[in-house]
C-alpha cells in the first residue's frame, strides 16, 4: 500500500540519521515526467532524510547552479540539503540544463556512491531499474519492496525480486539486518 511505502521511506530515513549513513538520491524527477519515471517515490524520499536529521547527497542530471536545477521546484530542497550539511553533485557544468539522457547517465554515479540501493516503487521501465542494474554490476546490495502484481508501480520491484537482482524487504529493519 502507499502507506507501507511511506512508512518504509520514513524508516530508511530514520536509519540514515541514527547510524550515520548518508542518503544518496537523484534530486530531480526526470525530463520525461511520465508515470513510468516513478515520480511518487522521488518526491517523498529526499525530504524524508532531511526531516529525520540525516545528511543527504543529491546527484543532479543538470548543473548545480540555481538556474540549472530541474525541476525548478527542487531549488528549495537543494538549499535545505546544503544548509543541513549535505552536498549537491553533478558531472555537468553550471548552466547545463536538463536533457533526457542526463538522468540515466546520472544513475551510474548514484550506484557508484552507494553501498546499497533501496527501490520502493518503480514501473517496469522506471529509472530506478537502471540504477539497480548498474548497482548490481558494481557488486552493490540492491533491495526492493514487493507490491501487488497488478500495480503498475510495483512491476519493477517485483521484477527485480523475481530475477534475483534485489533482496526482498518488508520494513526498514530488514535493511538494518541485511547490512
Amino acid at each position: 500500500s502507499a502507506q507501507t511505502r511511506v512508512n518504509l521511506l520514513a524508516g530508511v530515513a530514520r536509519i540514515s540519521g541514527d547510524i550515520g549513513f548518508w542518503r544518496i538520491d537523484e534530486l530531480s524527477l526526470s525530463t520525461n515526467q511520465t508515470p513510468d519515471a516513478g515520480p511518487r517515490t522521488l518526491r517523498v524520499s529526499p525530504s524524508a532524510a532531511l526531516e529525520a536529521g540525516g545528511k543527504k547527497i543529491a546527484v543532479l542530471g543538470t548543473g548545480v547552479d540555481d538556474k540549472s536545477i530541474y525541476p525548478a521546484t527542487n531549488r528549495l530542497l537543494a538549499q535545505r540539503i546544503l544548509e543541513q550539511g549535505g552536498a549537491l553533485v553533478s558531472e555537468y557544468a553550471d548552466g547545463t540544463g536538463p536533457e533526457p539522457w542526463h538522468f540515466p547517465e546520472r544513475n551510474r554515479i548514484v550506484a557508484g556512491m552507494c553501498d546499497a540501493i533501496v527501490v520502493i516503487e518503480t514501473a517496469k521501465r522506471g529509472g530506478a531499474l537502471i540504477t539497480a542494474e548498474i548497482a548490481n554490476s558494481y557488486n552493490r546490495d540492491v533491495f526492493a519492496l514487493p507490491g501487488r502484481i497488478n500495480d503498475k508501480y510495483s512491476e519493477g520491484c517485483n521484477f527485480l525480486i523475481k530475477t534475483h537482482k534485489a533482496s526482498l524487504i518488508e520494513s526498514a529493519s530488514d535493511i538494518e539486518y541485511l547490512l
Side-chain angles (χ1 to χ4, degrees):
S1 74
Q3 189 59 50
T4 300
R5 286 163 169 64
V6 169
N7 290 344
L8 183 60
L9 284 169
V12 170
R14 179 194 50 78
I15 292 168
S16 299
D18 287 352
I19 58 179
F21 284 148
W22 282 73
R23 295 226 351 150
I24 302 169
D25 289 303
E26 300 112 359
L27 177 62
S28 68
L29 305 177
S30 67
T31 51
N32 62 343
Q33 293 183 30
T34 64
D36 289 342
R40 294 181 291 175
T41 299
L42 296 178
R43 285 181 193 262
V44 175
S45 179
S47 297
L50 295 174
E51 289 166 13
K55 291 189 179 176
K56 179 170 175 40
I57 298 172
V59 182
L60 285 69
T62 64
V64 298
D65 59 301
D66 266 356
K67 291 182 181 179
S68 299
I69 292 176
Y70 177 84
T73 55
N74 280 340
R75 290 178 186 153
L76 290 176
L77 177 59
Q79 287 176 340
R80 283 184 59 205
I81 289 168
L82 295 173
E83 288 167 2
Q84 292 187 13
L88 304 179
V89 176
S90 179
E91 66 182 312
Y92 303 107
D94 284 353
T96 303
E99 297 291 346
W101 60 87
H102 288 181
F103 299 95
E105 288 176 351
R106 161 207 54 203
N107 294 358
R108 76 184 195 294
I109 297 170
V110 172
M113 292 177 71
C114 293
D115 293 317
I117 301 290
V118 179
V119 182
I120 306 297
E121 66 180 13
T122 186
K124 188 85 180 234
R125 294 180 166 229
L129 290 180
I130 296 170
T131 307
E133 287 288 336
I134 295 168
N136 276 312
S137 76
Y138 293 169
N139 292 317
R140 303 295 198 257
D141 290 319
V142 178
F143 304 103
L145 179 70
R148 295 182 309 264
I149 60 172
N150 58 350
D151 183 349
K152 180 178 183 174
Y153 292 105
S154 295
E155 289 177 353
C157 289
N158 292 343
F159 173 79
L160 287 170
I161 295 165
K162 180 172 59 175
T163 57
H164 306 286
K165 294 181 179 181
S167 297
L168 184 147
I169 57 169
E170 298 174 312
S171 69
S173 61
D174 291 347
I175 298 166
E176 286 180 294
Y177 173 77
L178 292 168
L179 289 177

